[in-house]
Amino acid sequence: MFQDRYSLAFKLYPYAHSPDQDAAAPVRHPVIVVGGGPIGLATALDLGRQGIPVVVLDDHEGIGMGSRAICFAKRCLEIADRYGCGEPMLDKGVVWNLGKVFHDDRKVYEFNLLPEAGHKFPAFINLQQPYFERFIYEQIVEEQKKGAPIEIRGKNRVDGMTVAEDHVKLDIMTPDGPYQLEADWLMACDGASSPLRSMLGLDFEGQVFQDSFLIADIRMKTSSFPTERWFWFEPHFKSGASTLLHKQPDDVWRVDFQIGWDVDRKEELKEENIRARLDAMLGEGVEYDIVWSSIYTFQCRRMKKFRHGRVFFAGDAAHQVSPFGARGANSGMQDVDNLGWKLGMVIRGEAPDSLLDTYDEERIHGADENILNSTRSTDFITPKSKVSHIFRNAVLSLAESYEFARPIVNSGRLSVPCVYDGMSLNGPDALPGGPARTRPGASCPDAPLGDAFLLNQLGNRFLLLTIDADAPDSLTEDGVAVTRLALSRDQDPSGALADRYLGDGASAVYLIRPDQHVAARWDSYDETAVRTALRKACGKE
Amino acid sequence: MAKLITTPNLAHPDDFYAKLIATHDGLTEDDSMALNARLILTLANHIGDQAVLEEALSVAKATA
């Protein structure tokens, strides 16, 4: 009756019989999250921290094996930090800045991410997905101790669902047999092959790429590689049409071989065959252990809509991209960041139901941007026609000697947060000379404030950030409270705050959303304008 | 806005044409295709303007 689909890296929430299973009628919960991956757990954490009762149903009892997602971007870490678990990720993760691109046996060029100073988090860290999930889980436990109403039920598999206008009913299978639950709101975070999506008969369309990739995570015994990202196009060692080498924590290196579409998976996954590829690449006498291996294929596609009445899809269940550019888990975390506060406000009666439609508007925009970027990377890495292959190699040949061709080389455009330009929650951009990077719709860039950082003081609520501008310390508009964070250039010796938030202006007033995105900005405080922008940002205009 | 020049702009068209063909001398068909690709990319970077480049792409496609 219960067969595990995968083995666990960490068993965290063993099956326990819930009183709900013995109830005469299905028990109703405010929010049920289906799926205990990073996106489901983060959703539970976001809502639980707001005091909203949430039940997570996972058909396993913990975190699955395998490194899978390894590259976590700045914005994703900032979101995790807002939830309280960003720092352990940074401590455990590997920070890298240097990337090298090879073609055949030649180095084409190298690049440095040249991180901008004055941010708490780097552009990226490499961290095996099970660690990322465990840090989120550990934060859930911390929040539970403080009273956050989060419950995770292991070995609770959803086998059926009925969607009504004002609730959802679930048929759940457990080792003790079936039971039913109802939810006011349902979050489907059940992964790329989302059973819930299938149960609702919903579309999931896009492009399938006919190529397979073999992942080998190896622990070096006798040698080492630098903490850099190395990418080969058509490598001389012939272990794949392209190859990626990337460092992870615990002295483990990720090696990713592009091995073609028509492969015998079972044959390719035999240790001796994996070792043949690795040995050709690493050379004689290099000793290593294979920690984990897998073969994957991918699609670039999304659902037409992420919201279906009382059901929301997030993460891979809603959209899928190629792995090039680290846009999978990173974009899923932005989904959670986007929906968490909106759902919280609607459940508390602070905002209308229509606010939830903007989850579709904003995150479909994000998904489309990610799909576009990752499709372009894929087309460059795996050319689909002879002429495309010729142009790709022409770019690589030129890039070896000429700087102009290097920006065209695309081994993955690394994930940056999307800006919700022109979307319906945005208010005015009334800061003449204000920096483009902090225009309405953008996520707030970090800046140093003495020994602390700006972002740690933003988020979780609506906030009025003033820089050398007067404003009241708080105001309330139609039940929504805004508090002020008053800053001054005097607190900004590095000039980063002025550079990122003032531009050519002398003073600024920013209305900032609970997800640390800019809702509107002005050069000075105007009560009517702020109240109007706040109503708009809550979906009330 | 910059516009694609579609009137004569080469001072010595015969000289350029002869040089273009001579550059391909002795190359296999594949090597010639690769050379053309490098040439297009190099010229595209020199032009820089996306609107002009798209106009050039349309001209090339429409006159086939």
Short mmCIF file of all heavy atoms in Angstrom, two decimals, chain A residues 208-216 229 231-233 235 239-245 254-265 268-269 274 277 292-300 321-324 374 377-384 392 411:
data_model
loop_
_atom_site.label_atom_id
_atom_site.label_comp_id
_atom_site.label_asym_id
_atom_site.label_seq_id
_atom_site.Cartn_x
_atom_site.Cartn_y
_atom_site.Cartn_z
N VAL A 208 9.89 20.15 -24.67
CA VAL A 208 10.66 19.04 -24.13
C VAL A 208 12.01 19.04 -24.84
O VAL A 208 12.06 19.13 -26.06
CB VAL A 208 9.95 17.70 -24.37
CG1 VAL A 208 10.78 16.54 -23.83
CG2 VAL A 208 8.57 17.71 -23.75
N PHE A 209 13.08 18.96 -24.10
CA PHE A 209 14.40 18.94 -24.71
C PHE A 209 14.90 17.50 -24.79
O PHE A 209 14.87 16.77 -23.81
CB PHE A 209 15.37 19.80 -23.92
CG PHE A 209 15.07 21.25 -24.08
CD1 PHE A 209 14.18 21.88 -23.24
CD2 PHE A 209 15.63 21.98 -25.12
CE1 PHE A 209 13.86 23.22 -23.41
CE2 PHE A 209 15.33 23.32 -25.29
CZ PHE A 209 14.44 23.94 -24.43
N GLN A 210 15.31 17.12 -26.01
CA GLN A 210 15.69 15.72 -26.20
C GLN A 210 17.17 15.54 -25.90
O GLN A 210 18.00 15.43 -26.79
CB GLN A 210 15.36 15.30 -27.62
CG GLN A 210 13.86 15.42 -27.88
CD GLN A 210 13.36 14.40 -28.86
OE1 GLN A 210 14.05 14.06 -29.80
NE2 GLN A 210 12.17 13.89 -28.63
N ASP A 211 17.46 15.53 -24.61
CA ASP A 211 18.83 15.28 -24.19
C ASP A 211 18.79 14.75 -22.76
O ASP A 211 17.84 15.04 -22.03
CB ASP A 211 19.65 16.58 -24.24
CG ASP A 211 21.01 16.35 -24.91
OD1 ASP A 211 21.65 15.33 -24.57
OD2 ASP A 211 21.40 17.17 -25.75
N SER A 212 19.78 13.95 -22.41
CA SER A 212 19.86 13.47 -21.04
C SER A 212 21.17 13.94 -20.43
O SER A 212 22.16 14.14 -21.13
CB SER A 212 19.83 11.95 -20.95
OG SER A 212 19.05 11.40 -21.92
N PHE A 213 21.12 14.09 -19.13
CA PHE A 213 22.31 14.53 -18.40
C PHE A 213 22.58 13.54 -17.27
O PHE A 213 21.66 13.13 -16.57
CB PHE A 213 22.10 15.94 -17.85
CG PHE A 213 22.07 16.99 -18.92
CD1 PHE A 213 20.93 17.16 -19.71
CD2 PHE A 213 23.17 17.76 -19.18
CE1 PHE A 213 20.91 18.10 -20.72
CE2 PHE A 213 23.16 18.72 -20.19
CZ PHE A 213 22.02 18.89 -20.96
N LEU A 214 23.84 13.16 -17.17
CA LEU A 214 24.26 12.25 -16.12
C LEU A 214 24.96 13.06 -15.03
O LEU A 214 25.94 13.75 -15.30
CB LEU A 214 25.24 11.21 -16.69
CG LEU A 214 25.96 10.32 -15.68
CD1 LEU A 214 25.00 9.33 -15.03
CD2 LEU A 214 27.10 9.57 -16.35
N ILE A 215 24.41 12.99 -13.81
CA ILE A 215 25.04 13.67 -12.68
C ILE A 215 25.87 12.66 -11.92
O ILE A 215 25.40 11.57 -11.60
CB ILE A 215 24.00 14.18 -11.66
CG1 ILE A 215 23.11 15.24 -12.28
CG2 ILE A 215 24.67 14.75 -10.43
CD1 ILE A 215 22.04 15.72 -11.31
N ALA A 216 27.10 13.03 -11.58
CA ALA A 216 27.88 12.25 -10.63
C ALA A 216 28.41 13.20 -9.58
O ALA A 216 29.09 14.17 -9.91
CB ALA A 216 29.02 11.54 -11.34
N ARG A 229 33.54 27.40 -11.03
CA ARG A 229 32.59 26.72 -11.91
C ARG A 229 33.30 26.52 -13.25
O ARG A 229 33.72 27.49 -13.88
CB ARG A 229 31.36 27.60 -12.11
CG ARG A 229 30.30 27.03 -13.04
CD ARG A 229 29.22 28.09 -13.30
NE ARG A 229 27.99 27.53 -13.84
CZ ARG A 229 27.69 27.53 -15.15
NH1 ARG A 229 28.55 28.00 -16.03
NH2 ARG A 229 26.53 27.05 -15.56
N PHE A 231 33.02 24.90 -17.05
CA PHE A 231 32.05 24.41 -18.03
C PHE A 231 32.77 24.13 -19.34
O PHE A 231 33.46 24.98 -19.88
CB PHE A 231 30.94 25.45 -18.27
CG PHE A 231 29.77 24.89 -19.01
CD1 PHE A 231 28.66 24.42 -18.35
CD2 PHE A 231 29.79 24.80 -20.41
CE1 PHE A 231 27.58 23.87 -19.04
CE2 PHE A 231 28.73 24.24 -21.10
CZ PHE A 231 27.63 23.78 -20.41
N TRP A 232 32.61 22.90 -19.85
CA TRP A 232 33.21 22.51 -21.13
C TRP A 232 32.13 22.37 -22.21
O TRP A 232 31.14 21.66 -21.99
CB TRP A 232 33.88 21.15 -21.04
CG TRP A 232 35.18 21.07 -20.33
CD1 TRP A 232 36.43 21.12 -20.88
CD2 TRP A 232 35.39 20.85 -18.93
NE1 TRP A 232 37.39 20.95 -19.92
CE2 TRP A 232 36.79 20.79 -18.71
CE3 TRP A 232 34.54 20.71 -17.82
CZ2 TRP A 232 37.35 20.58 -17.45
CZ3 TRP A 232 35.09 20.50 -16.57
CH2 TRP A 232 36.48 20.45 -16.40
N PHE A 233 32.36 23.01 -23.35
CA PHE A 233 31.61 22.68 -24.55
C PHE A 233 32.44 21.67 -25.33
O PHE A 233 33.64 21.87 -25.53
CB PHE A 233 31.39 23.93 -25.42
CG PHE A 233 30.50 24.97 -24.78
CD1 PHE A 233 31.04 26.05 -24.10
CD2 PHE A 233 29.12 24.85 -24.88
CE1 PHE A 233 30.22 27.01 -23.54
CE2 PHE A 233 28.29 25.82 -24.31
CZ PHE A 233 28.84 26.89 -23.64
N PRO A 235 33.96 18.73 -24.78
CA PRO A 235 35.27 18.54 -24.14
C PRO A 235 36.11 17.47 -24.86
O PRO A 235 35.58 16.51 -25.40
CB PRO A 235 34.91 18.09 -22.73
CG PRO A 235 33.51 17.57 -22.82
CD PRO A 235 32.84 18.37 -23.89
N SER A 239 33.62 12.83 -22.65
CA SER A 239 32.70 12.19 -21.70
C SER A 239 31.28 12.70 -21.82
O SER A 239 30.38 12.22 -21.16
CB SER A 239 33.20 12.40 -20.27
OG SER A 239 34.48 11.85 -20.12
N GLY A 240 31.08 13.70 -22.65
CA GLY A 240 29.74 14.24 -22.84
C GLY A 240 29.83 15.36 -23.86
O GLY A 240 30.92 15.87 -24.14
N ALA A 241 28.68 15.76 -24.43
CA ALA A 241 28.68 16.86 -25.39
C ALA A 241 28.95 18.19 -24.68
O ALA A 241 29.41 19.15 -25.28
CB ALA A 241 27.35 16.92 -26.13
N SER A 242 28.65 18.23 -23.38
CA SER A 242 29.10 19.32 -22.53
C SER A 242 29.29 18.73 -21.13
O SER A 242 28.77 17.66 -20.82
CB SER A 242 28.06 20.46 -22.49
OG SER A 242 26.90 20.04 -21.81
N THR A 243 30.06 19.44 -20.33
CA THR A 243 30.33 18.94 -18.97
C THR A 243 30.45 20.13 -18.03
O THR A 243 31.03 21.15 -18.39
CB THR A 243 31.65 18.12 -18.95
OG1 THR A 243 31.49 16.98 -19.79
CG2 THR A 243 31.98 17.64 -17.53
N LEU A 244 29.88 19.95 -16.84
CA LEU A 244 29.96 20.99 -15.81
C LEU A 244 30.62 20.40 -14.57
O LEU A 244 30.29 19.30 -14.16
CB LEU A 244 28.54 21.48 -15.47
CG LEU A 244 28.43 22.48 -14.32
CD1 LEU A 244 28.99 23.84 -14.71
CD2 LEU A 244 26.96 22.64 -13.90
N LEU A 245 31.54 21.17 -14.00
CA LEU A 245 32.18 20.77 -12.74
C LEU A 245 31.96 21.89 -11.74
O LEU A 245 32.27 23.05 -12.03
CB LEU A 245 33.68 20.55 -12.96
CG LEU A 245 34.51 20.23 -11.72
CD1 LEU A 245 34.25 18.79 -11.25
CD2 LEU A 245 36.01 20.39 -12.03
N ARG A 254 30.22 18.29 -8.02
CA ARG A 254 29.16 17.92 -8.95
C ARG A 254 29.76 17.87 -10.34
O ARG A 254 30.36 18.83 -10.79
CB ARG A 254 28.04 18.96 -8.89
CG ARG A 254 27.12 19.03 -10.12
CD ARG A 254 26.18 17.85 -10.23
NE ARG A 254 25.23 17.79 -9.15
CZ ARG A 254 24.05 18.43 -9.14
NH1 ARG A 254 23.68 19.16 -10.15
NH2 ARG A 254 23.23 18.29 -8.12
N VAL A 255 29.59 16.72 -11.02
CA VAL A 255 29.98 16.62 -12.42
C VAL A 255 28.71 16.28 -13.20
O VAL A 255 27.95 15.40 -12.80
CB VAL A 255 31.05 15.54 -12.66
CG1 VAL A 255 31.57 15.63 -14.08
CG2 VAL A 255 32.19 15.67 -11.67
N ASP A 256 28.50 17.01 -14.27
CA ASP A 256 27.26 16.89 -15.02
C ASP A 256 27.62 16.68 -16.48
O ASP A 256 28.18 17.58 -17.11
CB ASP A 256 26.50 18.22 -14.83
CG ASP A 256 25.02 18.08 -15.04
OD1 ASP A 256 24.62 17.20 -15.81
OD2 ASP A 256 24.27 18.88 -14.44
N PHE A 257 27.35 15.48 -16.99
CA PHE A 257 27.70 15.17 -18.39
C PHE A 257 26.44 15.18 -19.25
O PHE A 257 25.46 14.49 -18.92
CB PHE A 257 28.30 13.76 -18.51
CG PHE A 257 29.58 13.54 -17.76
CD1 PHE A 257 29.63 12.67 -16.67
CD2 PHE A 257 30.75 14.16 -18.16
CE1 PHE A 257 30.82 12.43 -15.99
CE2 PHE A 257 31.94 13.93 -17.48
CZ PHE A 257 31.98 13.07 -16.39
N GLN A 258 26.50 15.88 -20.37
CA GLN A 258 25.40 15.81 -21.34
C GLN A 258 25.64 14.59 -22.21
O GLN A 258 26.63 14.53 -22.94
CB GLN A 258 25.40 17.09 -22.18
CG GLN A 258 24.33 17.13 -23.25
CD GLN A 258 24.60 18.24 -24.26
OE1 GLN A 258 25.40 19.15 -24.01
NE2 GLN A 258 23.95 18.17 -25.41
N ILE A 259 24.75 13.59 -22.13
CA ILE A 259 25.07 12.30 -22.75
C ILE A 259 24.15 11.92 -23.91
O ILE A 259 24.24 10.80 -24.42
CB ILE A 259 25.09 11.15 -21.70
CG1 ILE A 259 23.73 11.01 -21.02
CG2 ILE A 259 26.20 11.38 -20.69
CD1 ILE A 259 23.63 9.77 -20.13
N GLY A 260 23.28 12.82 -24.34
CA GLY A 260 22.43 12.52 -25.51
C GLY A 260 21.09 11.94 -25.11
O GLY A 260 20.85 11.60 -23.95
N TRP A 261 20.19 11.85 -26.07
CA TRP A 261 18.80 11.48 -25.79
C TRP A 261 18.61 9.98 -25.74
O TRP A 261 17.95 9.44 -24.85
CB TRP A 261 17.91 12.11 -26.86
CG TRP A 261 16.45 11.82 -26.73
CD1 TRP A 261 15.68 11.12 -27.60
CD2 TRP A 261 15.58 12.23 -25.67
NE1 TRP A 261 14.37 11.08 -27.15
CE2 TRP A 261 14.29 11.75 -25.96
CE3 TRP A 261 15.78 12.95 -24.48
CZ2 TRP A 261 13.19 11.98 -25.13
CZ3 TRP A 261 14.69 13.17 -23.65
CH2 TRP A 261 13.42 12.69 -23.97
N ASP A 262 19.22 9.31 -26.70
CA ASP A 262 18.95 7.88 -26.88
C ASP A 262 19.93 7.05 -26.05
O ASP A 262 20.87 6.48 -26.59
CB ASP A 262 19.08 7.55 -28.38
CG ASP A 262 18.45 6.21 -28.70
OD1 ASP A 262 17.66 5.72 -27.88
OD2 ASP A 262 18.79 5.65 -29.76
N VAL A 263 19.75 7.03 -24.74
CA VAL A 263 20.71 6.31 -23.90
C VAL A 263 20.00 5.21 -23.11
O VAL A 263 18.82 5.29 -22.84
CB VAL A 263 21.43 7.26 -22.90
CG1 VAL A 263 22.30 8.25 -23.65
CG2 VAL A 263 20.44 7.98 -22.00
N ASP A 264 20.76 4.20 -22.78
CA ASP A 264 20.28 3.12 -21.92
C ASP A 264 20.59 3.53 -20.48
O ASP A 264 21.71 3.41 -20.01
CB ASP A 264 21.00 1.83 -22.31
CG ASP A 264 20.53 0.64 -21.49
OD1 ASP A 264 19.93 0.85 -20.40
OD2 ASP A 264 20.77 -0.50 -21.93
N ARG A 265 19.55 4.02 -19.81
CA ARG A 265 19.78 4.61 -18.48
C ARG A 265 20.44 3.63 -17.52
O ARG A 265 21.34 3.99 -16.76
CB ARG A 265 18.46 5.08 -17.86
CG ARG A 265 17.77 6.17 -18.66
CD ARG A 265 16.38 6.42 -18.11
NE ARG A 265 16.42 7.12 -16.84
CZ ARG A 265 16.23 8.43 -16.71
NH1 ARG A 265 15.95 9.17 -17.76
NH2 ARG A 265 16.29 9.01 -15.53
N GLU A 268 24.08 3.20 -18.43
CA GLU A 268 24.88 4.39 -18.15
C GLU A 268 25.11 4.59 -16.65
O GLU A 268 26.10 5.16 -16.24
CB GLU A 268 24.19 5.65 -18.71
CG GLU A 268 24.14 5.72 -20.23
CD GLU A 268 25.52 5.87 -20.87
OE1 GLU A 268 26.48 6.16 -20.14
OE2 GLU A 268 25.61 5.67 -22.09
N LEU A 269 24.15 4.13 -15.83
CA LEU A 269 24.26 4.35 -14.39
C LEU A 269 25.11 3.29 -13.68
O LEU A 269 25.31 3.37 -12.47
CB LEU A 269 22.86 4.43 -13.76
CG LEU A 269 22.18 5.80 -13.94
CD1 LEU A 269 20.72 5.74 -13.53
CD2 LEU A 269 22.91 6.90 -13.16
N ILE A 274 30.07 5.03 -15.32
CA ILE A 274 30.23 6.40 -14.80
C ILE A 274 31.71 6.68 -14.60
O ILE A 274 32.22 7.74 -14.96
CB ILE A 274 29.46 6.57 -13.48
CG1 ILE A 274 27.96 6.38 -13.71
CG2 ILE A 274 29.71 7.95 -12.89
CD1 ILE A 274 27.13 6.42 -12.45
N ARG A 277 33.65 7.60 -17.75
CA ARG A 277 33.52 9.02 -18.12
C ARG A 277 34.36 9.91 -17.21
O ARG A 277 35.04 10.84 -17.67
CB ARG A 277 32.05 9.46 -18.02
CG ARG A 277 31.15 8.88 -19.10
CD ARG A 277 29.73 9.43 -18.96
NE ARG A 277 28.79 8.73 -19.83
CZ ARG A 277 28.58 9.04 -21.11
NH1 ARG A 277 29.23 10.05 -21.65
NH2 ARG A 277 27.73 8.35 -21.83
N TRP A 292 26.78 10.04 -5.24
CA TRP A 292 25.41 9.96 -5.74
C TRP A 292 25.45 10.12 -7.25
O TRP A 292 26.31 10.82 -7.78
CB TRP A 292 24.55 11.09 -5.14
CG TRP A 292 23.11 11.08 -5.55
CD1 TRP A 292 22.18 10.14 -5.22
CD2 TRP A 292 22.43 12.05 -6.36
NE1 TRP A 292 20.97 10.48 -5.77
CE2 TRP A 292 21.09 11.64 -6.47
CE3 TRP A 292 22.83 13.23 -6.98
CZ2 TRP A 292 20.14 12.37 -7.18
CZ3 TRP A 292 21.88 13.96 -7.70
CH2 TRP A 292 20.54 13.52 -7.80
N SER A 293 24.57 9.43 -7.95
CA SER A 293 24.50 9.63 -9.39
C SER A 293 23.06 9.50 -9.85
O SER A 293 22.23 8.87 -9.18
CB SER A 293 25.38 8.61 -10.12
OG SER A 293 24.93 7.31 -9.85
N SER A 294 22.78 10.12 -10.97
CA SER A 294 21.41 10.11 -11.47
C SER A 294 21.44 10.56 -12.93
O SER A 294 22.38 11.20 -13.37
CB SER A 294 20.58 11.09 -10.63
OG SER A 294 19.28 11.22 -11.16
N ILE A 295 20.40 10.20 -13.67
CA ILE A 295 20.25 10.72 -15.03
C ILE A 295 18.97 11.53 -15.07
O ILE A 295 17.95 11.10 -14.54
CB ILE A 295 20.18 9.58 -16.06
CG1 ILE A 295 21.58 8.95 -16.21
CG2 ILE A 295 19.69 10.09 -17.42
CD1 ILE A 295 21.64 7.80 -17.19
N TYR A 296 19.04 12.71 -15.64
CA TYR A 296 17.82 13.50 -15.73
C TYR A 296 17.62 14.03 -17.14
O TYR A 296 18.56 14.18 -17.92
CB TYR A 296 17.82 14.65 -14.72
CG TYR A 296 18.85 15.73 -14.97
CD1 TYR A 296 18.55 16.84 -15.74
CD2 TYR A 296 20.13 15.64 -14.42
CE1 TYR A 296 19.49 17.84 -15.97
CE2 TYR A 296 21.07 16.62 -14.65
CZ TYR A 296 20.75 17.72 -15.43
OH TYR A 296 21.67 18.70 -15.66
N THR A 297 16.36 14.28 -17.46
CA THR A 297 15.99 15.00 -18.67
C THR A 297 15.15 16.18 -18.18
O THR A 297 14.80 16.24 -17.01
CB THR A 297 15.14 14.13 -19.61
OG1 THR A 297 13.98 13.71 -18.88
CG2 THR A 297 15.90 12.91 -20.06
N PHE A 298 14.84 17.10 -19.06
CA PHE A 298 14.06 18.23 -18.55
C PHE A 298 13.17 18.84 -19.61
O PHE A 298 13.31 18.60 -20.80
CB PHE A 298 14.97 19.31 -17.96
CG PHE A 298 16.00 19.81 -18.93
CD1 PHE A 298 15.67 20.76 -19.87
CD2 PHE A 298 17.28 19.31 -18.89
CE1 PHE A 298 16.61 21.22 -20.78
CE2 PHE A 298 18.23 19.76 -19.80
CZ PHE A 298 17.90 20.71 -20.75
N GLN A 299 12.23 19.62 -19.13
CA GLN A 299 11.32 20.38 -19.97
C GLN A 299 11.37 21.84 -19.54
O GLN A 299 11.74 22.12 -18.41
CB GLN A 299 9.88 19.88 -19.79
CG GLN A 299 9.62 18.51 -20.38
CD GLN A 299 9.93 17.40 -19.42
OE1 GLN A 299 9.66 17.51 -18.23
NE2 GLN A 299 10.52 16.31 -19.90
N CYS A 300 10.99 22.72 -20.43
CA CYS A 300 10.76 24.12 -20.07
C CYS A 300 9.28 24.37 -20.30
O CYS A 300 8.83 24.43 -21.45
CB CYS A 300 11.59 25.07 -20.93
SG CYS A 300 13.35 25.02 -20.55
N VAL A 321 11.94 24.43 -15.51
CA VAL A 321 12.95 24.99 -16.41
C VAL A 321 14.11 24.01 -16.52
O VAL A 321 14.20 23.04 -15.76
CB VAL A 321 13.49 26.34 -15.88
CG1 VAL A 321 12.43 27.41 -15.96
CG2 VAL A 321 14.01 26.20 -14.46
N SER A 322 15.00 24.28 -17.47
CA SER A 322 16.23 23.50 -17.53
C SER A 322 17.08 23.89 -16.32
O SER A 322 16.86 24.94 -15.72
CB SER A 322 16.98 23.82 -18.83
OG SER A 322 17.71 25.02 -18.67
N PRO A 323 18.03 23.06 -15.96
CA PRO A 323 18.83 23.40 -14.78
C PRO A 323 19.83 24.53 -15.03
O PRO A 323 20.41 25.05 -14.10
CB PRO A 323 19.56 22.10 -14.45
CG PRO A 323 19.54 21.30 -15.68
CD PRO A 323 18.35 21.73 -16.48
N PHE A 324 20.00 24.94 -16.31
CA PHE A 324 21.03 25.93 -16.59
C PHE A 324 20.60 27.31 -16.12
O PHE A 324 19.64 27.88 -16.62
CB PHE A 324 21.33 25.97 -18.09
CG PHE A 324 21.60 24.61 -18.65
CD1 PHE A 324 20.80 24.08 -19.63
CD2 PHE A 324 22.64 23.84 -18.15
CE1 PHE A 324 21.02 22.81 -20.12
CE2 PHE A 324 22.87 22.58 -18.64
CZ PHE A 324 22.06 22.05 -19.63
N SER A 374 16.20 30.13 -19.56
CA SER A 374 16.75 28.78 -19.48
C SER A 374 16.62 28.08 -20.83
O SER A 374 17.45 27.26 -21.19
CB SER A 374 16.13 28.00 -18.33
OG SER A 374 15.12 27.16 -18.74
N SER A 377 19.60 29.34 -22.86
CA SER A 377 20.83 28.66 -22.43
C SER A 377 20.89 27.26 -23.01
O SER A 377 21.93 26.81 -23.50
CB SER A 377 20.90 28.57 -20.91
OG SER A 377 20.86 29.84 -20.32
N THR A 378 19.75 26.56 -22.94
CA THR A 378 19.71 25.19 -23.42
C THR A 378 19.99 25.15 -24.92
O THR A 378 20.74 24.28 -25.40
CB THR A 378 18.33 24.58 -23.13
OG1 THR A 378 18.05 24.76 -21.75
CG2 THR A 378 18.32 23.10 -23.44
N ASP A 379 19.43 26.09 -25.67
CA ASP A 379 19.67 26.11 -27.11
C ASP A 379 21.14 26.37 -27.43
O ASP A 379 21.66 25.89 -28.43
CB ASP A 379 18.79 27.17 -27.78
CG ASP A 379 17.33 26.72 -27.86
OD1 ASP A 379 17.08 25.50 -27.76
OD2 ASP A 379 16.45 27.58 -28.02
N PHE A 380 21.80 27.13 -26.58
CA PHE A 380 23.23 27.39 -26.81
C PHE A 380 24.07 26.17 -26.44
O PHE A 380 25.00 25.80 -27.15
CB PHE A 380 23.68 28.61 -26.00
CG PHE A 380 25.03 29.14 -26.42
CD1 PHE A 380 25.15 30.08 -27.43
CD2 PHE A 380 26.19 28.67 -25.81
CE1 PHE A 380 26.39 30.56 -27.83
CE2 PHE A 380 27.44 29.14 -26.21
CZ PHE A 380 27.54 30.08 -27.23
N ILE A 381 23.71 25.53 -25.33
CA ILE A 381 24.51 24.40 -24.85
C ILE A 381 24.27 23.16 -25.71
O ILE A 381 25.19 22.40 -25.98
CB ILE A 381 24.17 24.12 -23.36
CG1 ILE A 381 24.65 25.29 -22.50
CG2 ILE A 381 24.78 22.81 -22.88
CD1 ILE A 381 24.09 25.31 -21.10
N THR A 382 23.03 22.97 -26.13
CA THR A 382 22.70 21.79 -26.94
C THR A 382 22.05 22.26 -28.24
O THR A 382 20.84 22.22 -28.39
CB THR A 382 21.73 20.86 -26.18
OG1 THR A 382 20.48 21.54 -26.01
CG2 THR A 382 22.22 20.49 -24.81
N PRO A 383 22.86 22.69 -29.23
CA PRO A 383 22.29 23.25 -30.47
C PRO A 383 21.41 22.21 -31.17
O PRO A 383 21.74 21.03 -31.19
CB PRO A 383 23.52 23.58 -31.31
CG PRO A 383 24.67 23.60 -30.36
CD PRO A 383 24.33 22.65 -29.26
N LYS A 384 20.29 22.72 -31.73
CA LYS A 384 19.30 21.79 -32.28
C LYS A 384 19.46 21.55 -33.78
O LYS A 384 18.80 20.71 -34.36
CB LYS A 384 17.88 22.31 -32.03
CG LYS A 384 17.54 22.52 -30.57
CD LYS A 384 17.51 21.20 -29.80
CE LYS A 384 17.32 21.44 -28.33
NZ LYS A 384 18.43 22.18 -27.69
N ARG A 392 27.10 28.51 -32.70
CA ARG A 392 27.56 28.33 -31.31
C ARG A 392 29.08 28.23 -31.28
O ARG A 392 29.77 28.92 -30.50
CB ARG A 392 26.90 27.07 -30.72
CG ARG A 392 26.91 26.97 -29.20
CD ARG A 392 28.19 26.49 -28.58
NE ARG A 392 28.68 25.21 -29.05
CZ ARG A 392 28.29 24.02 -28.56
NH1 ARG A 392 27.39 23.96 -27.62
NH2 ARG A 392 28.82 22.92 -29.04
N SER A 411 26.36 29.62 -20.94
CA SER A 411 26.38 28.31 -20.27
C SER A 411 25.44 28.37 -19.07
O SER A 411 25.59 27.65 -18.10
CB SER A 411 27.81 27.97 -19.83
OG SER A 411 28.25 28.85 -18.82
#
